[in-house]
Amino acid sequence: MRADASGVPCRRAVRANNPGQRLPFDMTDLLAPVQDLLGPAWLPVWTLVKILAIAVPVILCVAYLTYAERKVIGYMQVRVGPNRVGPFGLLQPFADVIKMLFKEIVIPSGANRWLFFIAPMLSLAPALAAWAVIPFTDTLVLADINAGLLYILAMTSVGVYGVILAGWASNSKYAFLGCLRSAAQIVSYEIAMGFALVGVLMVANTLNLRGIVAGQEGGAAYWYIWPLFPLFVVYLVSGIAETNRHPFDVAEGESEIVAGFHVEYSGITFALFFLAEYMNMILISVLTAIMFLGGWLSPWPGLNDATIAGFAPFGDGFLWLALKVALVLLVFLWIRATFPRYRYDQIMRLGWKVFIPITLVWIVFVGAMMQTRLAPLFH
């Protein structure tokens, strides 16, 4: 089927190739008059609409992830959690945002003003840009590029510059120590995460994220978590360290360097760092679900045939991706409520002396197995 410049399928081509066929109504019928009205401006407007359709729900998910974190950890610690603002405390995230918006932004004396304000945006922008290639279903993706995995690695690597600039531009020794710790930790665990994704690339034989999910079709037994289980564990734990989450949050050691690299930030500038951290948590969870847990595929293929009024509610689709992401995020929160904070030397040892050797050994093992009669188990 041909498509126009916006990527919307051209139904005229379908009618020309299939005369007399009655096509079902879809979004093209609804968008055609708007496309004719806007003319050349249609493509940028449609792209902006798709970007907002991804960015706004992600930001809302970040807001309610903070609520879920306080509720889940409160439940684990036999507390109530937020319950005052709105029914069951559901408006607490909006109260937090309003408070942040109206707080004064204090700039330290001697700080580099330009870099001081650029740093939060440099942390947030890559976290948002990475969502451009994330497929939510087999057809729902903003940019279905062949090198999606490389794009993800590139975008997630840029966020460390915001951390470094925040610590250096603040003109504070505490912030500078925090940014050095955080930068070293992020770089260290990025290597382990990269090697873990190399294993996924080997078994999937593609850098396209939709292709990686397609390689896991057939049910839960075909998901990559089974042949790549050590890499799955390394990727998940490295993702927790990459986002500076507990127990790897030594960049924010209250007893040593106060709040770390963002100690001098307040108001909305602090909120941007907060937003980037939780957005990266959701991104890591989505990537874990796509790379190792089958993405939007249902664990039992038979569910695609279980229809209600012609619709398969439990078949392959966004619902399964959302459930898997929620499960991974629960692990993030559970770990925070369970483990004490590591010492900095323990974190560096885990990244360099444990995770990187494990990933290298398993990559060699997978490569060797793919040359034997057991190769189908690793594809």
Side-chain angles (χ1 to χ4, degrees):
M1 185 190 300
R2 290 191 292 111
D4 58 23
S6 66
V8 177
C10 181
R11 291 166 64 84
R12 296 187 188 93
V14 178
R15 291 193 179 97
N17 294 330
N18 302 276
Q21 178 183 355
R22 180 175 177 80
L23 298 178
F25 177 82
D26 65 7
M27 283 294 291
T28 312
D29 297 310
L30 184 64
L31 296 174
V34 182
Q35 183 177 356
D36 295 336
L37 177 65
L38 293 177
W42 163 252
L43 183 58
V45 169
W46 178 236
T47 303
L48 180 61
V49 168
K50 290 190 287 186
I51 291 172
L52 290 176
I54 294 175
V56 173
V58 167
I59 292 173
L60 286 175
C61 286
V62 167
Y64 278 97
L65 179 56
T66 63
Y67 170 82
E69 179 174 28
R70 286 181 277 188
K71 277 291 189 182
V72 168
I73 294 179
Y75 174 79
M76 292 178 177
Q77 298 173 346
V78 199
R79 295 185 290 105
V80 177
N83 67 341
R84 297 293 181 184
V85 186
F88 307 105
L90 287 171
L91 298 181
Q92 184 65 50
F94 296 99
D96 294 337
V97 169
I98 293 171
K99 181 185 75 172
M100 292 288 187
L101 285 172
F102 286 97
K103 284 180 74 73
E104 180 184 4
I105 300 176
V106 179
I107 303 174
S109 58
N112 187 316
R113 292 178 63 93
W114 189 74
L115 292 179
F116 187 81
F117 286 108
I118 285 291
M121 292 183 280
L122 199 55
S123 287
L124 180 62
L128 268 174
W131 287 90
V133 299
I134 297 294
F136 299 98
T137 66
D138 189 37
T139 56
L140 189 59
V141 56
L142 178 60
D144 186 23
I145 62 177
N146 290 331
L149 197 56
L150 286 180
Y151 176 85
I152 290 289
L153 288 173
M155 285 296 103
T156 53
S157 299
V158 174
V160 68
Y161 292 106
V163 172
I164 294 173
L165 286 181
W168 185 82
S170 296
N171 192 34
S172 165
K173 292 182 176 63
Y174 291 117
F176 189 60
L177 286 172
C179 86
L180 290 178
R181 279 185 176 189
S182 185
Q185 177 179 323
I186 290 173
V187 170
S188 301
Y189 282 88
E190 266 183 4
I191 299 173
M193 291 180 74
F195 281 139
L197 294 183
V198 167
V200 175
L201 171 60
M202 290 172 63
V203 297
N205 201 27
T206 179
L207 287 167
N208 182 274
L209 298 181
R210 285 177 61 238
I212 290 173
V213 175
Q216 303 176 69
E217 289 180 343
Y222 294 88
W223 294 352
Y224 291 153
I225 184 176
W226 309 121
L228 303 178
F229 187 75
L231 301 186
F232 165 75
V233 174
V234 168
Y235 186 81
L236 182 58
V237 177
S238 296
I240 297 172
E242 178 88 358
T243 52
N244 280 325
R245 293 286 299 176
H246 196 89
F248 301 99
D249 57 343
V250 291
E252 307 169 19
E254 291 85 357
S255 60
E256 314 155 36
I257 53 174
V258 202
F261 64 91
H262 51 57
V263 66
E264 300 293 348
Y265 283 85
S266 59
I268 195 62
T269 53
F270 169 77
L272 290 180
F273 282 118
F274 205 67
L275 183 62
E277 176 184 323
Y278 280 80
M279 199 171 288
N280 280 321
M281 281 176 59
I282 300 175
L283 179 65
I284 293 292
S285 301
V286 171
L287 289 174
T288 303
I290 288 175
M291 303 292 178
F292 299 99
L293 301 176
W296 56 83
L297 302 177
S298 65
W300 302 282
L303 292 174
N304 292 314
D305 302 324
T307 59
I308 300 176
F311 177 67
F314 303 109
D316 299 343
F318 178 74
L319 173 64
W320 285 110
L321 179 64
L323 288 174
K324 294 168 187 176
V325 170
L327 180 63
V328 177
L329 285 172
L330 178 62
V331 173
F332 270 80
L333 307 184
W334 196 350
I335 288 175
R336 177 174 181 180
T338 305
F339 292 101
R341 180 181 285 133
Y342 281 131
R343 292 197 317 265
Y344 191 72
D345 62 295
Q346 292 174 322
I347 290 177
M348 290 292 103
R349 178 185 174 278
L350 182 66
W352 288 101
K353 295 186 177 182
V354 179
F355 281 178
I356 292 178
I358 286 175
T359 54
L360 289 174
V361 168
W362 202 257
I363 286 172
V364 173
F365 172 74
V366 170
M369 287 295 102
M370 291 175 70
Q371 306 305 317
T372 67
R373 289 178 298 175
L374 298 176
L377 297 176
F378 293 88
H379 281 286

